[in-house]
Amino acid sequence: MTQPDFMAIAFEQAEKAAARGEVPVGAVIVGNGAVIAAGGNETRLRNDPTAHAEIVAIRSACEQLGQERLTGLDLYVTLEPCAMCAAAISFARMRRLYYGASDPKGGGVEHGGRFFTQPTCHHQPDIYSGLGETRSADLLRRFFAGKRDA
Amino acid sequence: MTQPDFMAIAFEQAEKAAARGEVPVGAVIVGNGAVIAAGGNETRLRNDPTAHAEIVAIRSACEQLGQERLTGLDLYVTLEPCAMCAAAISFARMRRLYYGASDPKGGGVEHGGRFFTQPTCHHQPDIYSGLGETRSADLLRRFFAGKRDA
């Protein structure tokens, strides 16, 4: 599978989140060319403000692997991670971060405190952005437009 | 119960974490003068890099209350929250944050990206620091000194 294939799986998760009435963000964790875990935003479903797509996927992968670090694994997510998720990706020692749309309102990678650039960040993944950017932004725009019309 | 009483409960959680071999940080969530939830760092126990004391306590409180926001509730934690926990506290819409020692190495409130000061932060609690600062710093120092000697 290729990078666009993995991002397509992240988009499936984002679409499922939207169908549940959750902010549509999806994530997938990949190791050795295979999907290890995938998840969408579940903050409402779980009544858990920390259940962003990235955190759902990280916790699932850690549980499956029985370890608190995901060294060598890559994360694909449809939206720029927030500060919480950026820090979690760092704590999990992930290898690469691929994300879709930028998030000027809530992002923590190229916006806000830019977590990975701080001296308090002790591991940073290689970062690739813009993969599926238009689709990700459209998905969010449609979701929030629907909310306003409702 | 008073603020020092609540911080004492957070310290009990930190001591329990240390006894499990976890970085000794503890947290407690308080509403209307009563303890709603308490937790210590459990990243090793749960194989979950996101299981910092604050997140453990927030998840527990949200689960008990059946809601993803902790509006009006206060968090006591023995150490300055990292960026991940600061963002989670904000997402949970908590009222007040009380913390013990500053954490120049990993803190995200008065260090690093200073999450609550960013335009990407959409709710900030009232913040009170230095409560039990010496005890918190001593606890961490003893823990890491023990690690080095082991």
Side-chain angles (χ1 to χ4, degrees), chain B residues 81-105:
Chain B
C82 72
M84 176 179 75
C85 294
I89 290 163
S90 175
F91 297 154
R93 302 289 188 269
M94 300 196 75
R95 186 178 66 164
R96 291 181 188 148
L97 165 63
Y98 297 88
Y99 67 85
S102 290
D103 184 7
K105 196 173 161 228

Side-chain angles (χ1 to χ4, degrees), chain B residues 122-143:
Chain B
H122 307 296
H123 168 83
Q124 67 170 92
D126 295 326
I127 301 170
Y128 305 84
S129 60
L131 203 65
E133 185 171 6
T134 308
R135 182 173 172 190
S136 175
D138 283 350
L139 188 59
L140 285 155
R141 202 158 27 234
R142 282 202 313 274
F143 179 78

Side-chain angles (χ1 to χ4, degrees), chain B residues 10-88:
Chain B
F11 274 112
E12 283 170 21
Q13 292 290 332
E15 298 276 7
K16 280 186 195 171
R20 289 193 299 267
E22 307 264 8
V23 175
V25 181
V28 60
I29 291 176
V30 172
N32 294 321
V35 172
I36 309 289
N41 188 16
E42 296 189 346
T43 56
R44 289 177 158 205
L45 181 71
R46 299 198 191 197
N47 282 323
D48 179 354
T50 73
H52 285 191
E54 301 92 318
I55 304 269
V56 170
I58 287 172
R59 284 189 181 134
S60 171
C62 287
E63 191 179 347
Q64 286 177 62
L65 300 172
Q67 56 194 49
E68 61 165 313
R69 291 194 172 171
L70 301 174
T71 311
L73 303 191
D74 303 333
L75 182 86
Y76 291 75
V77 57
T78 57
L79 186 67
E80 178 188 350
C82 72
M84 176 179 75
C85 294

Side-chain angles (χ1 to χ4, degrees), chain A residues 31-125:
Chain A
N32 294 321
V35 172
I36 309 288
N41 187 17
E42 295 189 348
T43 57
R44 290 175 157 208
L45 181 70
R46 298 198 192 194
N47 283 322
D48 179 354
T50 73
H52 285 191
E54 300 92 320
I55 304 272
V56 171
I58 287 171
R59 294 178 81 197
S60 171
C62 287
E63 191 179 348
Q64 287 177 61
L65 300 172
Q67 57 193 48
E68 61 164 315
R69 291 194 172 173
L70 301 174
T71 311
L73 302 192
D74 303 332
L75 181 86
Y76 291 75
V77 57
T78 57
L79 186 67
E80 178 189 349
C82 72
M84 176 180 76
C85 294
I89 291 163
S90 175
F91 298 153
R93 301 290 188 269
M94 300 195 75
R95 186 178 65 163
R96 290 181 187 148
L97 164 63
Y98 297 89
Y99 66 86
S102 290
D103 184 7
K105 195 173 163 231
V109 177
E110 53 181 295
H111 296 97
R114 295 173 173 75
F115 181 75
F116 297 121
T117 69
Q118 297 294 343
T120 48
C121 170
H122 308 295
H123 168 84
Q124 69 171 93

